[in-house]
Amino acid sequence: MATQKSWVQRCLTPKVDLPGRLVLGVSGLCWLLVLGLWAVLSYGGVVPSMFLPTPGDVVAAGVRLAADGTLSKHVLASLEVVLIGFVVSSLVAVPLGLLMGSFR
């Protein structure tokens, strides 16, 4: 007679699929905790707004920058920096890894 595992046992068993509702619920809870911590730290005055702006200020700045067209320019500049860094690091890391793997 097969026994039904509880959801706790199922979550702690390796190589077993987790229930989809559990995954979505925990993911949503993590996002809510991060946003809540951000709001508490910024609106509560624990961290100065110079270092951690409030969520409202971030949304307002995003809307303002999207409206005047500078947001896309800055996003593309950041994307360019990330891609150049990836290419340069790949050009160094792949040959170095091959050399390290070729010798004892």
Side-chain angles (χ1 to χ4, degrees), residues 4 7 11-12 18 27 29 52 60 63 67 73 97 99 103-104:
Q4 184 71 16
W7 67 272
C11 290
L12 297 176
L18 296 174
S27 300
L29 182 64
L52 185 65
V63 169
K73 180 177 75 170
L99 281 172
F103 298 100
R104 265 184 185 211

Side-chain angles (χ1 to χ4, degrees), residues 93-104:
V94 170
L96 184 61
L98 290 172
L99 281 172
M100 289 172 60
S102 298
F103 298 100
R104 265 184 185 211

Side-chain angles (χ1 to χ4, degrees), residues 69-94:
T70 59
L71 182 63
S72 61
K73 180 177 75 170
H74 292 299
V75 167
L76 290 175
S78 296
L79 184 63
E80 180 183 7
V81 168
V82 168
L83 289 176
I84 288 172
F86 177 77
V87 168
V88 169
S89 65
S90 295
L91 289 174
V92 172
V94 170

Side-chain angles (χ1 to χ4, degrees), residues 2 23 35 41 52 55 65 91:
V23 172
L35 291 174
L41 291 175
L52 185 65
L65 290 174
L91 289 174

Side-chain angles (χ1 to χ4, degrees), residues 34-51:
V34 167
L35 291 174
L37 182 65
W38 178 19
V40 166
L41 291 175
S42 61
Y43 286 121
V46 177
V47 179
S49 63
M50 177 180 178
F51 299 113

